[in-house]
Amino acid sequence: MINTILCALGLSYAGMASLSLAMDRHHGQVWGRDAAPNVRRALQLAGAILLALAIWPCVAGWSATVGVVAWLGFLSAGALLVALLLPYAPKVLFRSSLLAAVAALAGLVTFLQ
Amino acid sequence: MNAVKVDKVAKTPQQGGLRQAMAWLHTWSGLWISWLLFAIFMTGTLAVFDDPIGHWMTPEHALEEAAHANDPPLPKVTDRGHRLELALDFMAKEHPKADMWEIWPVQRPGHGLSAYWFQPSGGYGSADLDPLTGAVVEHAREATERETIGGHHFVDFHYELHAGRIGVWIVGITTMIMLVALVSGVITHKRIFKDFFTFRPAKGQRSWLDAHNAVAVLTLPFQFMIAYTGLAFFSDDYVPAPVVAQYGMENGKRAFLADWNDAGKPERSGQPLAIPALESFAQRAEQAIGQEIRAVVLDNPNDASMRVCMYGWNEDTELLTRLSANTGRACYALATGEQTALRLPGKSDTGGAGLTRTVMSNLHMVGFGGTPMRWLYFFCGLAGTAMMGTGAILFMVKRRQRSGGEFGAYTQRVYRVIECLNVAAIAGLAIACVGFLWANRLIPVGIEQRAGWEVRAFFGVWFVMLVHACLRAEKRAWIEQLCLLAALCLLLPVLNVLTTGDSLVAQIARGDWESAGVELCSMAFGLLAAWGAWKVHKRKEKAARKAAGKESQAPSASLQVTTEGQS
């Protein structure tokens, strides 16, 4: 169960972070400049994929019905974390979301069986 | 409501389209219910963990449990048939007239053999029996055991305010207005996607608005769901017409609930029939539903119409994977031995609509998904609580800078009332909640109606906080109440050591995470309150600085527009 939670939370957090960094205001908070159009596109795509992938551990760990409810909850939790970290520690947000994405994607392998 | 809204907007200086109308609606519908809704949300959030809180509030029970933690698990019941016989004998001797006999013959924590029945005079009777002899077990309450309502206080308060049906209605109307405020808030918030992640701290009004928006928007699915399912929970109270249309005015609801809970209950025929051995039916039912049998319900005992229904247990692991908390159920007509009804676990015997209703209430009560889901609900509930709190505070923060003059000559007086209510509803309620836990330890064990005194302490503390908020200047009131809250929360583990001798370290050492969780959470909230008190204390210098340079710090035009549109 702990695996499910960490995976779902990591993916939603990283996905939301990616979506936020695709926005000029938040891109600026981390790197001091607006995002280039193709970077923005890539971040949005990555964010959408990560958020969509977060359904997987939820459905695998609970079930199709409970998993969707859990997924919506994790999306909220991930977004709240991002919104709280952005003004206080934007660099930490970027690095930790990168780490979360890698770790959670690796963790997804355990759901392959 | 529409007519009133348009009418009022026409009188305000900021005229204009839908968004302004919605902003007005959001501000005023939101403000007047925010205090009550804050209380409903905060206690509802605590109600998510009503069991752990109840566990903490019965320390004797918790310690007793801990002492037996390493005992081998009780053996699985092998003499169920014998237990059923014992219970049937007891019922035949003591309550032969009852229409319904219900027997719990299975060994689970707190159960060995129990019998329940409908008393002819109405109401539910119960007795615990010795599983070996069938003798009634008398539960003389031990003098050391403290009587308490436990975590159910928060459950009861959040849906009925301890006021019965009237409370249910007040909460229902408040919830309706909350849905109005949610929808109007979404329409008002024109930069909902642009500001999705935006929180700008330490910027006064701007920060309160950001915080209000962030917690509301980011947890919007939860807020809609919890408000909607809360209303759906009491749909037959709030929207009685369908039930009245089907079942009539007189006793309509009772008939509906009888059908709802138990469709196809047989009518008494008057022909006698001896009760057969029920164990074979229990085994058939276990085969049919795939769950261990929890309850055996016998309708019309000793009558030819006699029917037995077998109910299963929901194992914790089953509730991880389904939204419906219905157990399995199989019924048999005892005259013929034929199976008359079968419900598999998680399914409904009242069709799709019935299943929807069950799922709605279970969604609200988070009776699925296990502990992780409870924590998700807890955090989303805290976000909802923060949404109400920041909304109410934002109203005053905005008007402290520039009065709206909404109430003519009375404006300042009304603002003062709102300030007092803000302090009492937010900090005061939090103090009352932790005060309830303090009362649990401080009220002497063994006094009459002890559980009632705990609840009275909750309301008493809350009332004192209201009086305090009215007597003190706003800033002092905030600081003093937040400091008191911090002290009560941080000292809760100390109180526990002093009154029961059970410490946080000991709880963790014996793996009692329910008790430890309550105290750790309490300390976390204590730190948060201390931080809040410190922030309010610091606000002093800032306000003074702001007054000095008021003109130069006028907010930019665009900011003005968004805040105007918002609140």
Side-chain angles (χ1 to χ4, degrees), chain B residues 4 108 175 184-185 201 246 325 347 385 473 535 567:
Chain B
V4 174
R108 291 279 170 135
T175 313
S184 57
Q246 287 291 323
K347 299 288 187 285
T385 313
K535 292 298 264 191
S567 57

Side-chain angles (χ1 to χ4, degrees), chain B residues 243-267:
Chain B
V243 172
V244 170
Q246 287 291 323
Y247 293 90
M249 276 302 243
E250 290 295 315
N251 288 325
K253 191 172 166 195
R254 186 173 299 172
F256 162 70
L257 286 179
D259 255 8
W260 167 260
N261 289 321
D262 189 1
K265 186 167 176 158
E267 286 293 323

Side-chain angles (χ1 to χ4, degrees), chain B residues 14-174:
Chain B
Q14 329 130 14
Q15 304 200 352
L18 178 72
R19 197 158 262 150
Q20 264 80 5
M22 287 296 150
W24 179 89
L25 181 64
H26 184 75
T27 303
W28 294 102
S29 69
L31 177 73
W32 298 120
I33 60 156
S34 62
W35 304 299
L36 184 53
L37 213 46
F38 183 89
I40 295 171
F41 252 71
M42 186 168 199
T43 50
T45 302
L46 293 171
V48 167
F49 288 118
D50 63 334
D51 282 345
I53 292 172
H55 179 83
W56 185 88
M57 291 178 76
T58 48
E60 295 83 9
H61 175 243
L63 290 170
E64 169 87 14
E65 234 173 70
H68 293 288
N70 293 327
D71 291 359
L74 291 165
K76 197 168 150 43
V77 170
T78 52
D79 60 343
R80 186 175 56 196
H82 178 61
R83 288 181 190 215
L84 283 170
E85 296 296 329
L86 289 175
L88 288 177
D89 288 348
F90 165 78
M91 289 303 298
K93 214 160 33 191
E94 302 291 330
H95 305 281
K97 290 262 158 42
D99 274 348
M100 191 279 297
W101 298 354
E102 177 176 338
I103 301 160
W104 290 42
V106 183
Q107 189 86 63
R108 291 279 170 135
H111 297 289
L113 181 61
S114 308
Y116 307 85
W117 59 92
F118 282 147
Q119 274 155 343
S121 55
Y124 215 46
S126 75
D128 284 336
L129 307 177
D130 184 315
L132 294 176
T133 64
V136 179
V137 179
E138 296 292 345
H139 290 286
R141 209 166 57 77
E142 285 175 43
T144 55
E145 200 176 306
R146 69 186 66 208
E147 189 203 340
T148 176
I149 180 176
H152 293 296
H153 160 64
F154 296 114
V155 180
D156 292 350
F157 180 86
H158 105 281
Y159 81 86
E160 59 160 29
L161 312 172
H162 288 298
R165 269 181 77 82
I166 293 176
V168 169
W169 272 94
I170 294 173
V171 172
I173 292 164
T174 312

Side-chain angles (χ1 to χ4, degrees), chain A residues 20 23 25 62-63 76 87-88, chain B residues 191 195 198 218 320-321 369:
Chain A
S20 74
M23 297 162 83
R25 178 190 288 161
W62 282 281
S63 67
S76 286
Y88 294 107
Chain B
R191 292 156 59 86
D195 282 348
T198 303
L218 298 180
L320 286 182
T321 56

Side-chain angles (χ1 to χ4, degrees), chain B residues 183-507:
Chain B
V183 174
S184 57
V186 168
I187 298 173
T188 304
H189 191 1
K190 67 177 132 191
R191 292 156 59 86
I192 196 162
F193 288 111
K194 275 192 172 152
D195 282 348
F196 202 74
F197 297 104
T198 303
F199 173 56
R200 285 156 284 187
K203 287 202 166 63
Q205 182 184 333
R206 179 83 262 177
S207 304
W208 285 107
L209 180 60
D210 279 348
H212 181 63
N213 288 342
V215 289
V217 171
L218 298 180
T219 60
L220 204 56
F222 175 81
Q223 309 306 343
F224 269 114
M225 180 278 289
I226 209 76
Y228 183 81
T229 53
L231 284 173
F233 214 113
F234 290 99
S235 54
D236 46 297
D237 272 305
Y238 298 146
V239 193
V243 172
V244 170
Q246 287 291 323
Y247 293 90
M249 276 302 243
E250 290 295 315
N251 288 325
K253 191 172 166 195
R254 186 173 299 172
F256 162 70
L257 286 179
D259 255 8
W260 167 260
N261 289 321
D262 189 1
K265 186 167 176 158
E267 286 293 323
R268 209 174 253 281
S269 71
Q271 308 287 325
L273 179 71
I275 302 172
L278 296 178
E279 172 60 18
S280 61
F281 289 101
Q283 283 172 6
R284 266 173 78 187
E286 276 181 342
Q287 287 284 324
I289 63 175
Q291 284 186 322
E292 193 186 356
I293 297 304
R294 159 183 56 119
V296 175
V297 177
L298 192 65
D299 292 305
N300 303 343
N302 290 316
D303 187 90
S305 63
M306 198 164 32
R307 178 190 72 163
V308 69
C309 287
M310 305 282 174
Y311 290 80
W313 284 93
N314 279 326
E315 302 298 336
D316 290 346
T317 49
E318 285 179 88
L319 290 177
L320 286 182
T321 56
R322 50 172 223 243
L323 287 176
S324 158
N326 279 346
T327 61
R329 171 177 181 263
C331 296
Y332 302 92
L334 290 184
T336 58
E338 159 191 26
Q339 179 170 298
T340 55
L342 176 69
R343 178 180 78 199
L344 292 175
K347 299 288 187 285
S348 165
D349 35 28
T350 40
L355 187 61
T356 307
R357 198 179 132 108
T358 307
V359 167
M360 286 284 174
S361 42
N362 212 38
L363 261 180
H364 191 86
M365 293 187 296
V366 62
F368 61 93
T371 311
M373 202 65 75
R374 289 191 174 268
W375 279 103
L376 271 184
Y377 266 59
F378 185 72
F379 283 117
C380 288
L382 283 182
T385 313
M387 168 172 81
M388 320 301 174
T390 51
I393 292 171
L394 179 61
F395 181 94
M396 274 326 298
V397 168
K398 214 172 122 92
R399 277 153 189 81
R400 206 179 290 132
Q401 297 190 337
R402 193 166 59 87
S403 164
E406 293 94 342
F407 304 98
Y410 294 100
T411 299
Q412 287 313 315
R413 243 175 278 174
V414 176
Y415 283 0
R416 173 67 189 145
V417 170
I418 294 175
E419 278 176 1
C420 296
L421 286 173
N422 272 354
V423 179
I426 297 172
L429 174 75
I431 294 171
C433 286
V434 69
F436 176 68
L437 297 183
W438 276 70
N440 175 262
R441 291 294 194 265
L442 293 181
I443 294 176
V445 175
I447 69 165
E448 285 289 304
Q449 292 197 323
R450 193 175 176 287
W453 282 110
E454 287 179 1
V455 174
R456 267 166 243 155
F458 169 82
F459 283 109
V461 169
W462 201 5
F463 181 72
V464 170
M465 289 305 128
L466 175 64
V467 172
H468 171 263
C470 294
L471 293 179
R472 305 287 285 164
E474 192 214 10
K475 194 170 301 166
R476 292 308 309 165
W478 272 114
I479 294 174
E480 286 162 8
Q481 296 209 4
L482 285 172
C483 284
L484 177 61
L485 175 62
L488 289 179
C489 284
L490 290 169
L491 292 176
L492 191 69
V494 178
L495 173 75
N496 193 23
V497 174
L498 293 180
T499 51
T500 68
D502 188 24
S503 73
L504 187 56
V505 180
Q507 288 162 3

